[in-house]
Amino acid sequence: MSTDAPKRPTSANVAGHGTGDHLQAGLKNRHLSMIAIGGVIGAGLFVGSGAGIAATGPGILLSYALAGVLVVLVMRMLGEMAAADPQSGSFSAYADRALGRWAGFTIGWLYWFFWVVVLAVEATAGAKILNGWLPGVPQWAFALLVMAVLTATNLFSVASYGEFEFWFAGIKVVAIAAFIVIGALAVFGVLPGTHAVGTSNLVGHHGFLPHGVGAVFTGMLTVVFAFMGSEIVTLAAGESADPERAVSKATNSVIWRIGIFYLGSILIVVTLLPWDSASVKGSPYVAVLEHVGIPGAGQVMNVIVLTAVLSCLNSGLYTASRMAFSLGRRGDAPASFARVTGRGVPRTAILASVVFGFVAVFFNYTSPGTVFQFLLNSSGAVALFVWLVICCSQLRMRKIIEREAPERLTVRMWLYPYLSWVAIGLIVFVIGYMFTTHDGRVQMVLSLAAAVVVLVAAQVVQARRRSVVGADAGAGAGAVAGTGAGAEAGAEAPEQA
């Protein structure tokens, strides 16, 4: 039987009971459900969407819709592979098997790099909010505090990560749901002091597409990276008791999650307020809450944003460490990364990830415009690389699964392989379009440079691995030959005697 055949989930490749080199199946269904729901809600939705609205106008809805369609397709493909073969390394492990060791190595390390840089971004963002409340405490101290607390949480057990994320994500979900309900009531003039606004803000102020159709794609560049994190549930599912069910549920719900949380909330913003108002560009969600008369809207949103930041930091550390663990298991990272504690936690992988995060935080304060900006730009396009690898892996893995274990296809990509190719085409288009803007071009060039560096490292590691295997095979052959010669000499001795 082919070695490419997908394996049924076992303690060897998914999770064990916290012994040996196995992760612990400590995540409950409610943890995974909330991780899946909250995974698409990042701090960027609350504070970064204003820039997209300003650049695109009400047409930003089309930008979010296009990016959302892309994410839905990618998640469906990833869900197909993850349900058939749950792995702690998720898409990196699938790329390893479908495309080659070089692909799994490269995309795994790039993904790890992306998330450890995110740790620094989110720690700094959270520190700024806390410093605003307690200005007597230096900002760097708050950044250190939040990193230390969430590192301790992840080191304790996967269940503690899941519990923290359950409440963080729960607060985000409740906040967005409340925002949509309040905003919808204001749109229809039901709230006291409001009147029905109709479509005046959607089609007024120079129209639905005030900057032309091309602005939709420009807006897409600003929002596409906000969806990074949707794939976390496929990594986390490997540490649950029923990974197949968790993955199926998460991939089936991604459509309504994106439709409600992103399109729904952005629709409220651009319907209630003129897209070109200064308040929308600054902080659209605060602007809406102030518009409908919510007292202390700014501080309410600060609490929500802080929760989103802590959630992203918590998940980022978890995700980076699990990818490092998977790389260690496959021999693409130090062997110590694959060792776990008695609680089933990959301690070395967590500490290695957080150390790089602390270094990045340091650069964020000492060299924000040089070293840290370089780190940001060189990891900026990793999301697109990850999605492209997922699509290419699925095209190969689908054939392998159908040939070797068709019963494992409990989640199937729609209209395979046509929609898979549509997704690939859309990703390639976005990558190409990034070269048309200055910021996008800088990010893409530096991200491609980072990818080339990691790819070269992958080739070096593979060459070294082949040389070791060759040396071992040669030594084994020599030992066998020596044994044979000795046996022959021993057989001839009696005759000579």
Side-chain angles (χ1 to χ4, degrees), residues 209-244:
L209 293 171
H211 301 304
V213 176
V216 172
F217 302 111
T218 303
M220 189 178 176
L221 296 183
T222 67
V223 305
V224 70
F225 303 105
F227 292 110
M228 190 70 163
S230 304
E231 71 290 333
I232 290 176
V233 69
T234 62
L235 282 86
E239 293 180 77
S240 69
D242 190 359
E244 293 177 46

mmCIF file of all heavy atoms in Angstrom, residues 209-244:
data_model
loop_
_atom_site.group_PDB
_atom_site.id
_atom_site.type_symbol
_atom_site.label_atom_id
_atom_site.label_comp_id
_atom_site.label_asym_id
_atom_site.label_seq_id
_atom_site.Cartn_x
_atom_site.Cartn_y
_atom_site.Cartn_z
ATOM 1 N N LEU A 209 -19.559 53.142 -5.157
ATOM 2 C CA LEU A 209 -18.136 52.943 -5.455
ATOM 3 C C LEU A 209 -17.528 54.298 -5.811
ATOM 4 O O LEU A 209 -17.250 54.584 -6.982
ATOM 5 C CB LEU A 209 -17.968 51.952 -6.616
ATOM 6 C CG LEU A 209 -18.376 50.504 -6.354
ATOM 7 C CD1 LEU A 209 -18.359 49.693 -7.638
ATOM 8 C CD2 LEU A 209 -17.459 49.873 -5.309
ATOM 9 N N PRO A 210 -17.303 55.134 -4.813
ATOM 10 C CA PRO A 210 -16.823 56.494 -5.089
ATOM 11 C C PRO A 210 -15.447 56.547 -5.736
ATOM 12 O O PRO A 210 -15.107 57.519 -6.404
ATOM 13 C CB PRO A 210 -16.805 57.139 -3.694
ATOM 14 C CG PRO A 210 -16.688 55.997 -2.741
ATOM 15 C CD PRO A 210 -17.460 54.887 -3.374
ATOM 16 N N HIS A 211 -14.631 55.516 -5.549
ATOM 17 C CA HIS A 211 -13.282 55.497 -6.127
ATOM 18 C C HIS A 211 -13.157 54.515 -7.289
ATOM 19 O O HIS A 211 -12.042 54.182 -7.701
ATOM 20 C CB HIS A 211 -12.249 55.155 -5.053
ATOM 21 C CG HIS A 211 -12.231 56.117 -3.908
ATOM 22 N ND1 HIS A 211 -12.037 57.469 -4.067
ATOM 23 C CD2 HIS A 211 -12.408 55.924 -2.570
ATOM 24 C CE1 HIS A 211 -12.080 58.074 -2.890
ATOM 25 N NE2 HIS A 211 -12.314 57.157 -1.966
ATOM 26 N N GLY A 212 -14.288 54.035 -7.790
ATOM 27 C CA GLY A 212 -14.268 53.124 -8.921
ATOM 28 C C GLY A 212 -14.175 51.663 -8.513
ATOM 29 O O GLY A 212 -13.957 51.328 -7.341
ATOM 30 N N VAL A 213 -14.356 50.784 -9.519
ATOM 31 C CA VAL A 213 -14.356 49.336 -9.262
ATOM 32 C C VAL A 213 -13.001 48.858 -8.749
ATOM 33 O O VAL A 213 -12.919 47.957 -7.908
ATOM 34 C CB VAL A 213 -14.740 48.576 -10.551
ATOM 35 C CG1 VAL A 213 -14.659 47.063 -10.330
ATOM 36 C CG2 VAL A 213 -16.142 48.957 -11.002
ATOM 37 N N GLY A 214 -11.924 49.457 -9.247
ATOM 38 C CA GLY A 214 -10.594 49.028 -8.820
ATOM 39 C C GLY A 214 -10.378 49.152 -7.325
ATOM 40 O O GLY A 214 -9.591 48.396 -6.740
ATOM 41 N N ALA A 215 -11.102 50.086 -6.695
ATOM 42 C CA ALA A 215 -10.955 50.265 -5.249
ATOM 43 C C ALA A 215 -11.429 49.049 -4.474
ATOM 44 O O ALA A 215 -10.999 48.830 -3.335
ATOM 45 C CB ALA A 215 -11.729 51.502 -4.800
ATOM 46 N N VAL A 216 -12.316 48.266 -5.098
ATOM 47 C CA VAL A 216 -12.782 47.040 -4.428
ATOM 48 C C VAL A 216 -11.606 46.099 -4.184
ATOM 49 O O VAL A 216 -11.483 45.488 -3.117
ATOM 50 C CB VAL A 216 -13.866 46.340 -5.270
ATOM 51 C CG1 VAL A 216 -14.210 44.976 -4.685
ATOM 52 C CG2 VAL A 216 -15.115 47.205 -5.358
ATOM 53 N N PHE A 217 -10.729 45.981 -5.171
ATOM 54 C CA PHE A 217 -9.568 45.093 -5.031
ATOM 55 C C PHE A 217 -8.524 45.700 -4.104
ATOM 56 O O PHE A 217 -7.847 44.983 -3.364
ATOM 57 C CB PHE A 217 -8.977 44.802 -6.406
ATOM 58 C CG PHE A 217 -9.957 44.180 -7.348
ATOM 59 C CD1 PHE A 217 -10.430 44.888 -8.445
ATOM 60 C CD2 PHE A 217 -10.442 42.909 -7.129
ATOM 61 C CE1 PHE A 217 -11.344 44.336 -9.315
ATOM 62 C CE2 PHE A 217 -11.368 42.338 -7.989
ATOM 63 C CZ PHE A 217 -11.823 43.053 -9.085
ATOM 64 N N THR A 218 -8.405 47.024 -4.136
ATOM 65 C CA THR A 218 -7.516 47.684 -3.178
ATOM 66 C C THR A 218 -8.014 47.448 -1.760
ATOM 67 O O THR A 218 -7.232 47.154 -0.848
ATOM 68 C CB THR A 218 -7.445 49.196 -3.461
ATOM 69 O OG1 THR A 218 -7.007 49.409 -4.794
ATOM 70 C CG2 THR A 218 -6.479 49.879 -2.499
ATOM 71 N N GLY A 219 -9.320 47.564 -1.572
ATOM 72 C CA GLY A 219 -9.910 47.298 -0.263
ATOM 73 C C GLY A 219 -9.731 45.856 0.156
ATOM 74 O O GLY A 219 -9.538 45.553 1.336
ATOM 75 N N MET A 220 -9.759 44.962 -0.828
ATOM 76 C CA MET A 220 -9.576 43.546 -0.522
ATOM 77 C C MET A 220 -8.211 43.283 0.084
ATOM 78 O O MET A 220 -8.054 42.422 0.965
ATOM 79 C CB MET A 220 -9.768 42.718 -1.786
ATOM 80 C CG MET A 220 -9.815 41.216 -1.573
ATOM 81 S SD MET A 220 -10.101 40.333 -3.110
ATOM 82 C CE MET A 220 -9.987 38.629 -2.515
ATOM 83 N N LEU A 221 -7.200 44.035 -0.387
ATOM 84 C CA LEU A 221 -5.865 43.867 0.174
ATOM 85 C C LEU A 221 -5.819 44.246 1.638
ATOM 86 O O LEU A 221 -5.048 43.677 2.421
ATOM 87 C CB LEU A 221 -4.853 44.732 -0.604
ATOM 88 C CG LEU A 221 -4.634 44.399 -2.072
ATOM 89 C CD1 LEU A 221 -3.568 45.300 -2.658
ATOM 90 C CD2 LEU A 221 -4.270 42.938 -2.261
ATOM 91 N N THR A 222 -6.632 45.220 2.045
ATOM 92 C CA THR A 222 -6.621 45.667 3.441
ATOM 93 C C THR A 222 -7.411 44.748 4.355
ATOM 94 O O THR A 222 -7.200 44.758 5.567
ATOM 95 C CB THR A 222 -7.184 47.097 3.563
ATOM 96 O OG1 THR A 222 -8.581 47.090 3.231
ATOM 97 C CG2 THR A 222 -6.450 48.062 2.652
ATOM 98 N N VAL A 223 -8.325 43.949 3.771
ATOM 99 C CA VAL A 223 -9.181 43.124 4.632
ATOM 100 C C VAL A 223 -8.850 41.641 4.572
ATOM 101 O O VAL A 223 -9.203 40.893 5.479
ATOM 102 C CB VAL A 223 -10.674 43.316 4.280
ATOM 103 C CG1 VAL A 223 -11.053 44.777 4.344
ATOM 104 C CG2 VAL A 223 -11.017 42.746 2.911
ATOM 105 N N VAL A 224 -8.156 41.196 3.500
ATOM 106 C CA VAL A 224 -7.957 39.766 3.329
ATOM 107 C C VAL A 224 -7.175 39.156 4.487
ATOM 108 O O VAL A 224 -7.427 38.023 4.912
ATOM 109 C CB VAL A 224 -7.265 39.472 1.976
ATOM 110 C CG1 VAL A 224 -5.820 39.944 1.983
ATOM 111 C CG2 VAL A 224 -7.351 37.998 1.624
ATOM 112 N N PHE A 225 -6.238 39.934 5.037
ATOM 113 C CA PHE A 225 -5.411 39.396 6.116
ATOM 114 C C PHE A 225 -6.143 39.370 7.455
ATOM 115 O O PHE A 225 -5.678 38.746 8.404
ATOM 116 C CB PHE A 225 -4.116 40.207 6.219
ATOM 117 C CG PHE A 225 -3.340 40.228 4.942
ATOM 118 C CD1 PHE A 225 -3.319 41.353 4.146
ATOM 119 C CD2 PHE A 225 -2.661 39.105 4.513
ATOM 120 C CE1 PHE A 225 -2.624 41.369 2.947
ATOM 121 C CE2 PHE A 225 -1.966 39.102 3.311
ATOM 122 C CZ PHE A 225 -1.951 40.234 2.524
ATOM 123 N N ALA A 226 -7.291 40.057 7.521
ATOM 124 C CA ALA A 226 -8.077 40.023 8.759
ATOM 125 C C ALA A 226 -8.659 38.637 9.015
ATOM 126 O O ALA A 226 -9.003 38.309 10.148
ATOM 127 C CB ALA A 226 -9.208 41.055 8.686
ATOM 128 N N PHE A 227 -8.743 37.820 7.960
ATOM 129 C CA PHE A 227 -9.334 36.488 8.103
ATOM 130 C C PHE A 227 -8.318 35.441 8.540
ATOM 131 O O PHE A 227 -8.690 34.296 8.762
ATOM 132 C CB PHE A 227 -9.977 36.056 6.787
ATOM 133 C CG PHE A 227 -11.199 36.856 6.415
ATOM 134 C CD1 PHE A 227 -11.167 37.737 5.362
ATOM 135 C CD2 PHE A 227 -12.367 36.717 7.127
ATOM 136 C CE1 PHE A 227 -12.288 38.474 5.009
ATOM 137 C CE2 PHE A 227 -13.500 37.444 6.789
ATOM 138 C CZ PHE A 227 -13.461 38.323 5.729
ATOM 139 N N MET A 228 -7.049 35.820 8.612
ATOM 140 C CA MET A 228 -6.025 34.866 9.064
ATOM 141 C C MET A 228 -6.349 34.463 10.498
ATOM 142 O O MET A 228 -6.540 35.313 11.367
ATOM 143 C CB MET A 228 -4.647 35.511 9.002
ATOM 144 C CG MET A 228 -3.501 34.536 9.209
ATOM 145 S SD MET A 228 -3.325 33.411 7.831
ATOM 146 C CE MET A 228 -1.668 32.780 8.093
ATOM 147 N N GLY A 229 -6.427 33.208 10.764
ATOM 148 C CA GLY A 229 -6.819 32.698 12.073
ATOM 149 C C GLY A 229 -7.986 31.736 11.966
ATOM 150 O O GLY A 229 -8.242 30.953 12.885
ATOM 151 N N SER A 230 -8.672 31.766 10.827
ATOM 152 C CA SER A 230 -9.789 30.842 10.616
ATOM 153 C C SER A 230 -9.324 29.392 10.678
ATOM 154 O O SER A 230 -10.089 28.501 11.065
ATOM 155 C CB SER A 230 -10.441 31.108 9.253
ATOM 156 O OG SER A 230 -10.861 32.439 9.132
ATOM 157 N N GLU A 231 -8.059 29.173 10.290
ATOM 158 C CA GLU A 231 -7.538 27.805 10.201
ATOM 159 C C GLU A 231 -7.099 27.245 11.547
ATOM 160 O O GLU A 231 -6.765 26.065 11.651
ATOM 161 C CB GLU A 231 -6.368 27.767 9.212
ATOM 162 C CG GLU A 231 -5.087 28.431 9.690
ATOM 163 C CD GLU A 231 -5.176 29.942 9.789
ATOM 164 O OE1 GLU A 231 -5.984 30.548 9.055
ATOM 165 O OE2 GLU A 231 -4.442 30.526 10.614
ATOM 166 N N ILE A 232 -7.104 28.064 12.597
ATOM 167 C CA ILE A 232 -6.597 27.619 13.896
ATOM 168 C C ILE A 232 -7.368 26.411 14.416
ATOM 169 O O ILE A 232 -6.796 25.502 15.031
ATOM 170 C CB ILE A 232 -6.657 28.769 14.925
ATOM 171 C CG1 ILE A 232 -5.628 29.840 14.561
ATOM 172 C CG2 ILE A 232 -6.399 28.262 16.344
ATOM 173 C CD1 ILE A 232 -5.668 31.061 15.457
ATOM 174 N N VAL A 233 -8.665 26.368 14.141
ATOM 175 C CA VAL A 233 -9.478 25.269 14.674
ATOM 176 C C VAL A 233 -9.016 23.923 14.132
ATOM 177 O O VAL A 233 -9.149 22.901 14.816
ATOM 178 C CB VAL A 233 -10.969 25.500 14.357
ATOM 179 C CG1 VAL A 233 -11.253 25.362 12.871
ATOM 180 C CG2 VAL A 233 -11.849 24.547 15.159
ATOM 181 N N THR A 234 -8.426 23.869 12.931
ATOM 182 C CA THR A 234 -7.964 22.587 12.387
ATOM 183 C C THR A 234 -6.703 22.115 13.103
ATOM 184 O O THR A 234 -6.427 20.916 13.139
ATOM 185 C CB THR A 234 -7.695 22.682 10.869
ATOM 186 O OG1 THR A 234 -6.651 23.631 10.622
ATOM 187 C CG2 THR A 234 -8.945 23.117 10.126
ATOM 188 N N LEU A 235 -5.910 23.051 13.652
ATOM 189 C CA LEU A 235 -4.777 22.651 14.489
ATOM 190 C C LEU A 235 -5.260 22.220 15.865
ATOM 191 O O LEU A 235 -4.798 21.219 16.414
ATOM 192 C CB LEU A 235 -3.771 23.797 14.629
ATOM 193 C CG LEU A 235 -2.832 24.074 13.460
ATOM 194 C CD1 LEU A 235 -3.500 24.995 12.440
ATOM 195 C CD2 LEU A 235 -1.539 24.697 13.946
ATOM 196 N N ALA A 236 -6.206 22.992 16.409
ATOM 197 C CA ALA A 236 -6.705 22.701 17.756
ATOM 198 C C ALA A 236 -7.503 21.405 17.794
ATOM 199 O O ALA A 236 -7.526 20.723 18.822
ATOM 200 C CB ALA A 236 -7.579 23.861 18.246
ATOM 201 N N ALA A 237 -8.141 21.046 16.684
ATOM 202 C CA ALA A 237 -8.960 19.833 16.663
ATOM 203 C C ALA A 237 -8.144 18.593 16.985
ATOM 204 O O ALA A 237 -8.672 17.609 17.521
ATOM 205 C CB ALA A 237 -9.622 19.675 15.299
ATOM 206 N N GLY A 238 -6.843 18.642 16.678
ATOM 207 C CA GLY A 238 -5.983 17.496 16.969
ATOM 208 C C GLY A 238 -5.837 17.209 18.448
ATOM 209 O O GLY A 238 -5.390 16.128 18.827
ATOM 210 N N GLU A 239 -6.225 18.159 19.316
ATOM 211 C CA GLU A 239 -6.141 17.962 20.760
ATOM 212 C C GLU A 239 -7.533 17.858 21.385
ATOM 213 O O GLU A 239 -7.749 18.256 22.521
ATOM 214 C CB GLU A 239 -5.343 19.099 21.399
ATOM 215 C CG GLU A 239 -3.881 19.072 20.977
ATOM 216 C CD GLU A 239 -3.061 20.187 21.598
ATOM 217 O OE1 GLU A 239 -2.712 20.088 22.795
ATOM 218 O OE2 GLU A 239 -2.780 21.171 20.881
ATOM 219 N N SER A 240 -8.465 17.331 20.597
ATOM 220 C CA SER A 240 -9.823 17.105 21.093
ATOM 221 C C SER A 240 -10.146 15.624 21.010
ATOM 222 O O SER A 240 -9.464 14.854 20.333
ATOM 223 C CB SER A 240 -10.833 17.911 20.264
ATOM 224 O OG SER A 240 -10.929 17.383 18.958
ATOM 225 N N ALA A 241 -11.189 15.240 21.698
ATOM 226 C CA ALA A 241 -11.569 13.827 21.722
ATOM 227 C C ALA A 241 -12.194 13.385 20.400
ATOM 228 O O ALA A 241 -12.145 12.212 20.044
ATOM 229 C CB ALA A 241 -12.551 13.581 22.870
ATOM 230 N N ASP A 242 -12.803 14.312 19.662
ATOM 231 C CA ASP A 242 -13.489 13.974 18.416
ATOM 232 C C ASP A 242 -13.104 14.990 17.330
ATOM 233 O O ASP A 242 -13.904 15.864 16.977
ATOM 234 C CB ASP A 242 -15.009 13.979 18.644
ATOM 235 C CG ASP A 242 -15.780 13.394 17.470
ATOM 236 O OD1 ASP A 242 -15.132 12.999 16.479
ATOM 237 O OD2 ASP A 242 -17.023 13.335 17.537
ATOM 238 N N PRO A 243 -11.883 14.896 16.800
ATOM 239 C CA PRO A 243 -11.406 15.900 15.851
ATOM 240 C C PRO A 243 -12.214 15.973 14.559
ATOM 241 O O PRO A 243 -12.412 17.052 14.011
ATOM 242 C CB PRO A 243 -9.958 15.477 15.580
ATOM 243 C CG PRO A 243 -9.888 14.046 15.972
ATOM 244 C CD PRO A 243 -10.863 13.870 17.087
ATOM 245 N N GLU A 244 -12.682 14.830 14.065
ATOM 246 C CA GLU A 244 -13.427 14.839 12.808
ATOM 247 C C GLU A 244 -14.710 15.671 12.934
ATOM 248 O O GLU A 244 -15.025 16.485 12.061
ATOM 249 C CB GLU A 244 -13.774 13.410 12.393
ATOM 250 C CG GLU A 244 -12.571 12.563 12.018
ATOM 251 C CD GLU A 244 -12.981 11.139 11.687
ATOM 252 O OE1 GLU A 244 -13.955 10.957 10.937
ATOM 253 O OE2 GLU A 244 -12.336 10.206 12.198
#
